[in-house]
Amino acid sequence: MTTRLSRRAFLASTAVGSVGLTIRFPLFGAPDAAAAAAFDPSPTLTITPDGLVTVHITKAEMGQGVGTALAQIVAEELEADWKDIRIDYPVASEKYGLMLTGGSWSVNWTFDALSRAGAAARLALIDAAATSWKVPAAECVAERGVVRHLPTGRSLGYGEIVKRVPITKTFSEDELKKITLKKPSEYRVVGRWTPRLDIPEKVNGKAKFGIDAFVPNMVYAKVAYPPTREGATHGAIDDSAAKRVKGYVATVALPDVVAVVATSYEAAVKGRDALKVTWNAGPNASVSTESIFAKFAQAKDDPALQNWHEQGDVRSAMGSAARRHEATFTTDYVAHMQMEPMNCVAEFKDGGYDIYTGSQFQTFAVGTLAAVLKVEPAKIRLHQHYLGGGFGRRLEPDIMLETALIAREVKRPVKLIRSREEDLRRDFYRSATLQVLKAGLGPDGKPVAWENTLVASHPGRRWGKDFVDKQGLDQFALNGADHVYDIPNQLVRAVPVETGISVGYVRAVAPNYTFFAVETFVDELAKLAGVDPLQYRLSLLGSSPRLARVLKLAAERAGWGSALPANTGRGLACVSAQEKKTPTWTASVVQARVDPASGAVTVEKITCAVDCGIVVNPDGARAQLEGSLLFGVSNALKERGTIANGALVQSNFNDYQVLRMNEIPELEVHIVESTEYPTGLGEPGTTTVAPALSNAIFAATGARVRQVPLLPDRVLAAIRAKT
């Protein structure tokens, strides 16, 4: 996940190459002589003799509508009629290149490649039609799935060409790069409010999620998990009572879990519950929230801290600063809480594995399964299904691995479904963090020096050396700490700490907690300087005009500076979500009311402005922004995972709170019209909410809350400390 492909590499691996149906027509290389039954020019698309165009979506569809957006990109340059467009989610294969859905990368990484694949297919179809008519291709045009010869008016539909005409034109990589693509002003599909292609079957019940997968002769497994999240092993296993359960098939003991397999889900549950397993809780049995933060506090003073981001001379600038300020911020563990619990069907046959589930990272899953199961990657056939929510949870292949290992033992297809309680306890949480920020201010109140010490667990360290840098640091655990404000001297020091609690990536471009600390701290500096927080930020954004623009837009539309009732305040935050190279410029203003007697916070309204370059599907973009903002509210106000005895304390929605329908604030979203290359809209609003809300609480009460979630007791304590 840490290796970003260059556009050249991505083009070579995803937009070109041969795929086999019948024509096996490659954009690279020589055509196959097989009889025509379909035009399959690349891993991107297939056109059949009936004129239907199937765009192969190598991303995960988990409610964000990515399939529709990617199909729009192809259809635009292919000049297909939208009514003829279909999508599918193919079995994972190396021919599709990197199969990964995360980080708001789907459109950003594929826009150029998909555009060129569509354009190349269009040109090949035009060439075939022109050859059949014995006319120059320059006299022909394609529009809405039909090639026309302008001088004579003759026409052939794409399906007719595939059915009757040899298609022989190919493209080298250099030729692909030289294809002239449309200007944004010429778009007729991209940028349109297009209904999502996945909605009809989700409404009528035909959509197949991972949990809907069934295969013949399938049995069910339920797993007895250890008492601690990491490091436990099993000892003696007494399955005598499990064997008496009607439908019992087998007991499977793996190194850290024990499973009962039965002919029904209910029987598997009864059998698992009847097991008597002796557990060795391992080295993390005493790990708790308190011990973790104590470890963090000790780690922040480690003299061997690693510099992750550095510019200028922070020590000298800090020493000569007219004024210095320091603040400490903490965040708790956050779970994913996707609605569809983790599930998988695995079948072991002929030395290979068929895996049926929804994955956000098919490439990583196939590689991991192949390595652990000791088979060639081609022997892992991952059949992609819809995901009932992902938020980063389904980047992890753990459920697939467990199911495959059990299936290998019982020699029958196995279905494994985790209960909500199991799902929460076996999650890979967003890391708890401790961040210490220091700034030195010049005589004008602007920062001349900035230092951030960030203590957290790094998911990439668990994933292996390909997911961390040379220092062993995971950039996706740190992104956002290297902000874009014009501060000449900056230093971010990273302290990766293992805690005995598994961590992963949770929905947010950048890990969310970095921008909470940065944007709250900037607000504090504005207060010290005696400058309005909006104007203070704008004075530091000379090098980031697009971020300044969305910040001004959000503030203007939110009525920044206008009067509010007592105990109500507005706060703002602006972020360069994800990477400095391809940021999605995002700003939000949160209006919130605080009950000074209880500390309870009500978010009344969020105004968000975004510049993400070209917008492929405006309706999908708006929905993504609204969803990301609400996800951010849930994280900021309610979600707190606590640890005791080496495992998460919370078990379900009753004690792990998430935002409810009746708590949803008014949302106002503004998307800047742009012709710039598209960045991403997976979840940029998420990172703005916690700092903007914390700043709104300060505006309403004068009290600073530096802990997320912003729980009532924390807000009340801050109010009382102020007085």
Side-chain angles (χ1 to χ4, degrees):
M1 185 173 173
T2 58
T3 302
R4 175 164 180 155
L5 297 182
S6 67
R7 298 216 188 281
R8 178 183 179 88
F10 193 85
L11 188 68
S13 64
T14 304
V16 298
S18 70
V19 190
L21 278 190
T22 307
I23 271 192
R24 302 173 66 88
F25 178 85
L27 297 179
F28 257 165
D32 195 298
F39 176 44
D40 210 358
S42 79
T44 299
L45 66 107
T46 298
I47 305 175
T48 46
D50 56 6
L52 296 181
V53 179
T54 300
V55 180
H56 308 303
I57 307 300
T58 60
K59 304 296 180 181
E61 177 55 73
M62 47 191 165
Q64 81 279 36
V66 67
T68 303
L70 300 187
Q72 284 180 258
I73 298 169
V74 173
E76 183 65 71
E77 293 290 347
L78 180 60
E79 289 291 355
D81 193 322
W82 185 251
K83 68 177 177 58
D84 296 328
I85 296 292
R86 305 291 186 271
I87 56 176
D88 67 7
Y89 300 86
V91 175
S93 171
E94 287 184 357
K95 69 187 179 186
Y96 296 115
L98 183 65
M99 301 179 75
L100 162 64
T101 310
S104 285
W105 289 323
S106 292
V107 169
N108 174 245
W109 281 20
T110 63
F111 188 86
D112 184 73
L114 294 179
S115 296
R116 294 185 186 282
R122 181 193 77 241
L123 293 172
L125 289 163
I126 290 174
D127 178 81
T131 300
S132 73
W133 292 325
K134 296 182 173 56
V135 300
E139 294 180 356
C140 302
V141 296
E143 185 178 16
R144 297 190 182 278
V146 175
V147 176
R148 290 185 173 85
H149 181 226
L150 293 176
T152 64
R154 285 179 291 182
S155 65
L156 280 174
Y158 286 177
E160 294 177 273
I161 297 171
V162 170
K163 185 177 182 179
R164 295 163 35 193
V165 180
I167 304 174
T168 59
K169 187 174 182 60
T170 61
F171 295 83
S172 69
E173 182 180 347
D174 285 341
E175 288 170 333
L176 277 172
K177 291 167 59 178
K178 292 177 182 177
I179 292 175
T180 300
L181 301 177
K182 291 183 180 180
K183 297 181 176 67
S185 61
E186 300 172 314
Y187 291 160
R188 64 174 185 82
V189 180
V190 168
R192 299 301 175 95
W193 291 68
T194 304
R196 279 173 45 177
L197 296 172
D198 58 316
I199 294 300
E201 63 181 9
K202 288 180 176 177
V203 172
N204 64 28
K206 292 183 179 180
K208 297 298 181 185
F209 292 81
I211 206 166
D212 299 321
F214 296 89
V215 298
N217 198 35
M218 188 180 76
V219 290
Y220 294 81
K222 284 301 289 185
V223 173
Y225 290 106
T228 54
R229 183 63 185 88
E230 294 181 6
T233 56
H234 64 76
I237 302 170
D238 180 356
D239 62 353
S240 56
K243 290 178 178 178
R244 294 193 291 270
V245 173
K246 184 178 180 180
Y248 170 89
V249 173
T251 302
V252 177
L254 302 174
D256 60 348
V257 298
V258 181
V260 168
V261 180
T263 55
S264 70
Y265 181 82
E266 293 77 11
V269 171
K270 289 180 181 178
R272 187 274 313 274
D273 291 347
L275 285 176
K276 295 180 180 178
V277 182
T278 301
W279 292 102
N280 170 13
N284 301 311
S286 61
V287 169
S288 66
T289 296
E290 293 74 20
S291 70
I292 289 170
F293 277 103
K295 193 173 185 179
F296 284 179
Q298 184 179 14
K300 71 178 174 61
D301 297 321
D302 187 341
L305 293 177
Q306 301 176 75
N307 295 348
W308 179 67
H309 169 73
E310 186 173 10
Q311 67 182 52
D313 186 345
V314 169
R315 172 179 285 188
S316 176
M318 194 75 75
S320 61
R323 186 173 185 179
R324 288 184 289 276
H325 181 58
E326 177 178 333
T328 298
F329 301 86
T330 62
T331 64
D332 289 303
Y333 287 101
V334 168
H336 292 88
M337 302 306 284
Q338 74 287 346
M339 289 306 297
E340 181 192 16
M342 298 298 286
N343 60 79
C344 181
V345 173
E347 183 174 11
F348 175 57
K349 61 181 180 182
D350 302 325
Y353 296 81
D354 286 281
I355 308 294
Y356 303 85
T357 190
S359 171
Q360 286 183 246
F361 200 169
Q362 298 97 310
T363 299
F364 183 58
V366 168
T368 300
L369 288 164
V372 174
L373 298 170
K374 294 180 170 43
V375 297
E376 293 297 316
K379 291 286 188 179
I380 306 295
R381 297 173 290 272
L382 176 51
H383 303 262
Q384 180 76 341
H385 287 60
Y386 284 131
L387 286 62
F391 310 134
R393 178 60 182 92
R394 287 184 160 91
L395 293 167
E396 303 283 350
D398 54 307
I399 190 77
M400 297 178 238
L401 190 55
E402 284 182 12
T403 314
L405 288 167
I406 296 168
R408 185 174 68 180
E409 293 300 313
V410 300
K411 305 297 190 294
R412 289 178 66 177
V414 171
K415 185 169 192 171
L416 175 58
I417 304 172
R418 289 184 185 154
S419 67
R420 175 65 60 192
E421 290 79 7
E422 292 164 347
D423 204 23
L424 183 53
R425 297 271 293 202
R426 300 301 295 178
D427 201 356
F428 292 81
Y429 316 101
R430 190 191 77 191
S431 177
T433 68
L434 184 150
Q435 298 173 80
V436 180
L437 273 69
K438 302 176 182 179
L441 306 182
D444 59 357
K446 292 184 181 180
V448 294
W450 176 288
E451 182 178 325
N452 184 350
T453 300
L454 200 166
V455 186
S457 301
H458 291 205
R461 291 165 69 90
R462 173 174 52 81
W463 283 29
K465 64 180 182 179
D466 292 336
F467 299 93
V468 294
D469 64 19
K470 294 179 180 179
Q471 300 182 90
L473 301 177
D474 176 1
Q475 65 170 313
F476 298 107
L478 300 168
N479 280 346
D482 56 336
H483 56 75
V484 297
Y485 287 114
D486 296 333
I487 302 174
N489 305 287
Q490 298 183 33
L491 175 64
V492 179
R493 302 190 302 170
V495 193
V497 175
E498 300 301 325
T499 64
I501 300 299
S502 298
V503 297
Y505 303 106
V506 178
R507 183 184 191 184
V509 276
N512 202 335
Y513 49 74
T514 55
F515 282 120
F516 165 62
V518 168
E519 285 297 295
T520 307
F521 193 61
V522 169
D523 236 58
E524 296 186 24
L525 299 183
K527 176 66 176 177
L528 288 174
V531 179
D532 175 83
L534 170 62
Q535 297 305 319
Y536 192 78
R537 285 175 171 80
L538 291 174
S539 73
L540 299 174
L541 290 175
S543 300
S544 303
R546 291 173 72 179
L547 184 55
R549 180 182 179 185
V550 295
L551 177 60
K552 288 188 283 188
L553 177 59
E556 176 188 337
R557 296 302 177 91
W560 184 262
S562 61
L564 288 170
N567 302 315
T568 303
R570 294 189 188 95
L572 52 76
C574 60
V575 304
S576 54
Q578 191 65 314
E579 298 176 271
K580 289 184 177 180
K581 293 180 181 178
T582 56
T584 296
W585 308 107
T586 310
S588 290
V589 176
V590 173
Q591 180 175 312
R593 184 178 71 255
V594 182
D595 180 352
S598 66
V601 177
T602 301
V603 178
E604 296 181 335
K605 182 178 181 179
I606 303 177
T607 306
C608 179
V610 171
D611 179 352
C612 60
I614 294 168
V615 176
V616 176
N617 188 318
D619 184 45
R622 184 172 297 277
Q624 279 295 95
L625 283 170
E626 291 172 346
S628 71
L629 290 169
L630 295 178
F631 198 87
V633 175
S634 187
N635 282 177
L637 267 188
K638 305 176 77 72
E639 298 186 44
R640 185 191 186 199
T642 57
I643 308 299
N645 302 316
L648 194 76
V649 172
Q650 289 71 32
S651 62
N652 208 319
F653 287 112
N654 64 306
D655 53 4
Y656 185 92
Q657 292 292 307
V658 298
L659 193 70
R660 307 293 170 134
M661 292 287 285
N662 64 347
E663 298 169 315
I664 291 177
E666 179 185 353
L667 300 178
E668 184 177 319
V669 170
H670 302 278
I671 303 174
V672 174
E673 290 189 12
S674 176
T675 59
E676 296 291 333
Y677 190 85
T679 53
L681 272 176
E683 54 275 285
T686 302
T687 53
T688 63
V689 175
L693 179 54
S694 176
N695 295 334
I697 292 170
F698 176 79
T701 66
R704 284 286 177 198
V705 188
R706 300 189 179 104
Q707 298 169 283
V708 167
L710 303 160
L711 301 172
D713 60 330
R714 292 173 171 176
V715 175
L716 186 59
I719 292 172
R720 289 175 174 172
K722 174 183 71 76
T723 57

PDB file of all heavy atoms in Angstrom, residues 579-593:
ATOM      1  N   GLU A 579      -1.859  13.208   0.169  1.00  0.00           N
ATOM      2  CA  GLU A 579      -0.471  13.433  -0.206  1.00  0.00           C
ATOM      3  C   GLU A 579      -0.272  14.848  -0.742  1.00  0.00           C
ATOM      4  O   GLU A 579      -1.138  15.397  -1.406  1.00  0.00           O
ATOM      5  CB  GLU A 579      -0.052  12.428  -1.275  1.00  0.00           C
ATOM      6  CG  GLU A 579      -0.120  10.981  -0.812  1.00  0.00           C
ATOM      7  CD  GLU A 579       0.211  10.036  -1.950  1.00  0.00           C
ATOM      8  OE1 GLU A 579      -0.703   9.642  -2.677  1.00  0.00           O
ATOM      9  OE2 GLU A 579       1.393   9.696  -2.106  1.00  0.00           O
ATOM     10  N   LYS A 580       0.879  15.402  -0.486  1.00  0.00           N
ATOM     11  CA  LYS A 580       1.167  16.743  -0.996  1.00  0.00           C
ATOM     12  C   LYS A 580       1.216  16.777  -2.520  1.00  0.00           C
ATOM     13  O   LYS A 580       0.930  17.792  -3.142  1.00  0.00           O
ATOM     14  CB  LYS A 580       2.496  17.239  -0.433  1.00  0.00           C
ATOM     15  CG  LYS A 580       2.446  17.587   1.051  1.00  0.00           C
ATOM     16  CD  LYS A 580       3.772  18.167   1.502  1.00  0.00           C
ATOM     17  CE  LYS A 580       3.728  18.592   2.955  1.00  0.00           C
ATOM     18  NZ  LYS A 580       4.997  19.160   3.415  1.00  0.00           N
ATOM     19  N   LYS A 581       1.573  15.655  -3.151  1.00  0.00           N
ATOM     20  CA  LYS A 581       1.694  15.639  -4.604  1.00  0.00           C
ATOM     21  C   LYS A 581       0.333  15.698  -5.285  1.00  0.00           C
ATOM     22  O   LYS A 581       0.181  16.321  -6.334  1.00  0.00           O
ATOM     23  CB  LYS A 581       2.453  14.379  -5.050  1.00  0.00           C
ATOM     24  CG  LYS A 581       3.910  14.343  -4.621  1.00  0.00           C
ATOM     25  CD  LYS A 581       4.585  13.059  -5.094  1.00  0.00           C
ATOM     26  CE  LYS A 581       6.041  13.007  -4.652  1.00  0.00           C
ATOM     27  NZ  LYS A 581       6.694  11.738  -5.069  1.00  0.00           N
ATOM     28  N   THR A 582      -0.647  15.022  -4.742  1.00  0.00           N
ATOM     29  CA  THR A 582      -1.985  15.001  -5.352  1.00  0.00           C
ATOM     30  C   THR A 582      -3.038  15.228  -4.270  1.00  0.00           C
ATOM     31  O   THR A 582      -3.853  14.357  -3.991  1.00  0.00           O
ATOM     32  CB  THR A 582      -2.251  13.652  -6.041  1.00  0.00           C
ATOM     33  OG1 THR A 582      -2.082  12.587  -5.097  1.00  0.00           O
ATOM     34  CG2 THR A 582      -1.325  13.447  -7.217  1.00  0.00           C
ATOM     35  N   PRO A 583      -3.040  16.384  -3.648  1.00  0.00           N
ATOM     36  CA  PRO A 583      -3.964  16.604  -2.532  1.00  0.00           C
ATOM     37  C   PRO A 583      -5.388  16.886  -2.995  1.00  0.00           C
ATOM     38  O   PRO A 583      -5.621  17.359  -4.107  1.00  0.00           O
ATOM     39  CB  PRO A 583      -3.372  17.840  -1.851  1.00  0.00           C
ATOM     40  CG  PRO A 583      -2.729  18.585  -2.969  1.00  0.00           C
ATOM     41  CD  PRO A 583      -2.186  17.539  -3.901  1.00  0.00           C
ATOM     42  N   THR A 584      -6.319  16.561  -2.133  1.00  0.00           N
ATOM     43  CA  THR A 584      -7.691  17.029  -2.288  1.00  0.00           C
ATOM     44  C   THR A 584      -7.863  18.142  -1.265  1.00  0.00           C
ATOM     45  O   THR A 584      -7.885  17.896  -0.056  1.00  0.00           O
ATOM     46  CB  THR A 584      -8.691  15.893  -2.032  1.00  0.00           C
ATOM     47  OG1 THR A 584      -8.505  14.884  -3.032  1.00  0.00           O
ATOM     48  CG2 THR A 584     -10.122  16.402  -2.115  1.00  0.00           C
ATOM     49  N   TRP A 585      -7.928  19.365  -1.741  1.00  0.00           N
ATOM     50  CA  TRP A 585      -7.965  20.527  -0.860  1.00  0.00           C
ATOM     51  C   TRP A 585      -9.354  20.615  -0.219  1.00  0.00           C
ATOM     52  O   TRP A 585     -10.354  20.718  -0.927  1.00  0.00           O
ATOM     53  CB  TRP A 585      -7.658  21.792  -1.646  1.00  0.00           C
ATOM     54  CG  TRP A 585      -6.392  21.725  -2.458  1.00  0.00           C
ATOM     55  CD1 TRP A 585      -6.294  21.608  -3.809  1.00  0.00           C
ATOM     56  CD2 TRP A 585      -5.054  21.772  -1.964  1.00  0.00           C
ATOM     57  NE1 TRP A 585      -4.973  21.583  -4.197  1.00  0.00           N
ATOM     58  CE2 TRP A 585      -4.182  21.685  -3.083  1.00  0.00           C
ATOM     59  CE3 TRP A 585      -4.490  21.882  -0.683  1.00  0.00           C
ATOM     60  CZ2 TRP A 585      -2.801  21.704  -2.967  1.00  0.00           C
ATOM     61  CZ3 TRP A 585      -3.105  21.902  -0.573  1.00  0.00           C
ATOM     62  CH2 TRP A 585      -2.275  21.814  -1.687  1.00  0.00           C
ATOM     63  N   THR A 586      -9.393  20.583   1.106  1.00  0.00           N
ATOM     64  CA  THR A 586     -10.674  20.470   1.807  1.00  0.00           C
ATOM     65  C   THR A 586     -10.702  21.388   3.026  1.00  0.00           C
ATOM     66  O   THR A 586      -9.720  21.471   3.765  1.00  0.00           O
ATOM     67  CB  THR A 586     -10.904  19.017   2.287  1.00  0.00           C
ATOM     68  OG1 THR A 586     -10.677  18.126   1.197  1.00  0.00           O
ATOM     69  CG2 THR A 586     -12.309  18.825   2.810  1.00  0.00           C
ATOM     70  N   ALA A 587     -11.831  22.039   3.231  1.00  0.00           N
ATOM     71  CA  ALA A 587     -12.014  22.881   4.415  1.00  0.00           C
ATOM     72  C   ALA A 587     -13.438  22.718   4.918  1.00  0.00           C
ATOM     73  O   ALA A 587     -14.376  22.562   4.128  1.00  0.00           O
ATOM     74  CB  ALA A 587     -11.736  24.345   4.096  1.00  0.00           C
ATOM     75  N   SER A 588     -13.592  22.744   6.237  1.00  0.00           N
ATOM     76  CA  SER A 588     -14.919  22.639   6.850  1.00  0.00           C
ATOM     77  C   SER A 588     -15.058  23.647   7.972  1.00  0.00           C
ATOM     78  O   SER A 588     -14.092  23.939   8.694  1.00  0.00           O
ATOM     79  CB  SER A 588     -15.161  21.229   7.408  1.00  0.00           C
ATOM     80  OG  SER A 588     -15.300  20.277   6.381  1.00  0.00           O
ATOM     81  N   VAL A 589     -16.274  24.152   8.104  1.00  0.00           N
ATOM     82  CA  VAL A 589     -16.653  24.967   9.252  1.00  0.00           C
ATOM     83  C   VAL A 589     -17.738  24.198   9.994  1.00  0.00           C
ATOM     84  O   VAL A 589     -18.749  23.808   9.401  1.00  0.00           O
ATOM     85  CB  VAL A 589     -17.176  26.349   8.825  1.00  0.00           C
ATOM     86  CG1 VAL A 589     -17.658  27.127  10.045  1.00  0.00           C
ATOM     87  CG2 VAL A 589     -16.081  27.123   8.099  1.00  0.00           C
ATOM     88  N   VAL A 590     -17.510  23.960  11.271  1.00  0.00           N
ATOM     89  CA  VAL A 590     -18.475  23.247  12.110  1.00  0.00           C
ATOM     90  C   VAL A 590     -19.120  24.238  13.071  1.00  0.00           C
ATOM     91  O   VAL A 590     -18.413  25.004  13.745  1.00  0.00           O
ATOM     92  CB  VAL A 590     -17.803  22.108  12.903  1.00  0.00           C
ATOM     93  CG1 VAL A 590     -18.774  21.497  13.906  1.00  0.00           C
ATOM     94  CG2 VAL A 590     -17.293  21.030  11.944  1.00  0.00           C
ATOM     95  N   GLN A 591     -20.418  24.201  13.125  1.00  0.00           N
ATOM     96  CA  GLN A 591     -21.169  24.992  14.114  1.00  0.00           C
ATOM     97  C   GLN A 591     -21.713  24.028  15.156  1.00  0.00           C
ATOM     98  O   GLN A 591     -22.381  23.056  14.819  1.00  0.00           O
ATOM     99  CB  GLN A 591     -22.312  25.752  13.450  1.00  0.00           C
ATOM    100  CG  GLN A 591     -23.136  26.603  14.415  1.00  0.00           C
ATOM    101  CD  GLN A 591     -24.183  27.425  13.692  1.00  0.00           C
ATOM    102  OE1 GLN A 591     -23.894  28.090  12.695  1.00  0.00           O
ATOM    103  NE2 GLN A 591     -25.420  27.383  14.185  1.00  0.00           N
ATOM    104  N   ALA A 592     -21.407  24.294  16.420  1.00  0.00           N
ATOM    105  CA  ALA A 592     -21.791  23.368  17.481  1.00  0.00           C
ATOM    106  C   ALA A 592     -22.284  24.120  18.710  1.00  0.00           C
ATOM    107  O   ALA A 592     -21.858  25.246  18.983  1.00  0.00           O
ATOM    108  CB  ALA A 592     -20.604  22.479  17.865  1.00  0.00           C
ATOM    109  N   ARG A 593     -23.170  23.461  19.443  1.00  0.00           N
ATOM    110  CA  ARG A 593     -23.704  24.004  20.690  1.00  0.00           C
ATOM    111  C   ARG A 593     -23.216  23.131  21.842  1.00  0.00           C
ATOM    112  O   ARG A 593     -23.210  21.903  21.743  1.00  0.00           O
ATOM    113  CB  ARG A 593     -25.235  24.018  20.655  1.00  0.00           C
ATOM    114  CG  ARG A 593     -25.880  24.671  21.884  1.00  0.00           C
ATOM    115  CD  ARG A 593     -27.397  24.707  21.780  1.00  0.00           C
ATOM    116  NE  ARG A 593     -28.002  23.387  21.913  1.00  0.00           N
ATOM    117  CZ  ARG A 593     -28.504  22.671  20.933  1.00  0.00           C
ATOM    118  NH1 ARG A 593     -28.451  23.135  19.682  1.00  0.00           N
ATOM    119  NH2 ARG A 593     -29.028  21.490  21.141  1.00  0.00           N
TER     120      ARG A 593
END
